Amino acid sequence: MKRKRVGVLISGRGSNMQALVAASRKADCPYEVVLVASDKPDAAGLAWATEQGVATFALLPRGIGKAAYEAQMLAALTEARVDVVALAGYMRLLSEDFVDALRGRIVNIHPSLLPKYKGLDTHARAIAAGDTMAGCSVHVVTEELDAGEILGQVAIPVLDDDDADALAARVLVAEHALYPSVLAEFTSR
Ligand code: GRF
């Protein structure tokens, strides 16, 4: 089996990225993580990836403009010969040019039951709406925020005394199981 080469983009702690890397180490996993890249050179996840022996790339967009930033990010992904890009807490909207370069090969994990609650503060919004179920979704990335084909979802009950943090913590556990399994299915296509 030729494993698919995955580049993971992060902006922060990278717990989903860690789940993807951990899963990729199983012998029958159809993908390997060949690069972890970030728009935040001080992202905690980068240090973890380095400790794990995974190649990293970081570039601050500030001062160089979005087009130049994305071109360099794309060059790093191309040099790493990635087949698929997995966004994992990457807090930037991708331009149409970037998406075009990898159309249909970029996926993202989002902490809501899409199409509900695109964007930020998903858990607080679900609680405020009185939803009984929250959850997370993995979807194909387009230039539109949190849109694109939904590849997999997990629903998590909202408890009576939940606040956004408590709900987020339970959904995050589900994310760590969902993302590796959906990425395995996606990279086996
Ligand atoms: C996760 O909740 C993910 O769904 C969202 O941002 C958070 C990132 O967490 N897109 P981490 O950096 O993977 O720990």
Side-chain angles (χ1 to χ4, degrees):
M1 174 188 66
K2 178 130 176 23
R3 304 209 295 163
K4 292 276 168 58
R5 298 172 67 83
V6 174
V8 185
L9 301 193
I10 64 169
S11 295
R13 67 190 162 182
S15 70
N16 279 289
M17 175 274 295
Q18 292 183 27
L20 295 178
V21 170
S24 76
R25 294 198 163 136
K26 298 195 181 110
D28 59 349
C29 186
Y31 65 85
E32 60 183 316
V33 177
V34 296
L35 183 69
V36 175
S38 182
D39 59 331
K40 300 261 189 326
D42 58 354
L46 285 178
W48 183 88
T50 300
E51 276 166 27
Q52 297 292 313
V54 181
T56 62
F57 175 80
L59 181 65
L60 261 183
R62 201 186 316 130
I64 61 173
K66 181 162 177 148
Y69 163 77
E70 283 196 336
Q72 289 186 54
M73 193 54 93
L74 198 54
L77 293 164
T78 304
E79 195 180 326
R81 292 179 287 116
V82 304
D83 300 302
V84 169
V85 170
L87 309 185
Y90 182 66
M91 301 304 286
R92 294 188 167 271
L93 190 57
L94 303 177
S95 72
E96 188 171 353
D97 283 350
F98 190 98
V99 173
D100 269 341
L102 291 155
R103 176 83 53 190
R105 297 192 288 139
I106 311 174
V107 296
N108 179 44
I109 186 150
H110 182 74
S112 78
L113 293 173
L114 289 172
K116 277 188 143 179
Y117 311 127
K118 298 173 179 178
L120 299 175
D121 301 324
T122 55
H123 304 300
R125 288 155 69 198
I127 290 169
D131 291 0
T132 56
M133 299 301 282
C136 50
S137 309
V138 178
H139 64 96
V140 174
V141 171
T142 67
E143 45 281 89
E144 208 182 312
L145 179 68
D146 300 325
E149 180 195 355
I150 294 169
L151 300 170
Q153 290 183 312
V154 173
I156 299 287
V158 180
L159 305 180
D160 286 344
D161 57 354
D162 258 344
D163 60 18
D165 288 345
L167 179 56
R170 291 203 316 286
V171 171
L172 193 62
V173 173
E175 292 182 36
H176 295 163
L178 177 70
Y179 209 0
S181 75
V182 172
L183 189 60
E185 194 271 327
F186 186 74
T187 52
S188 309
R189 278 180 172 185

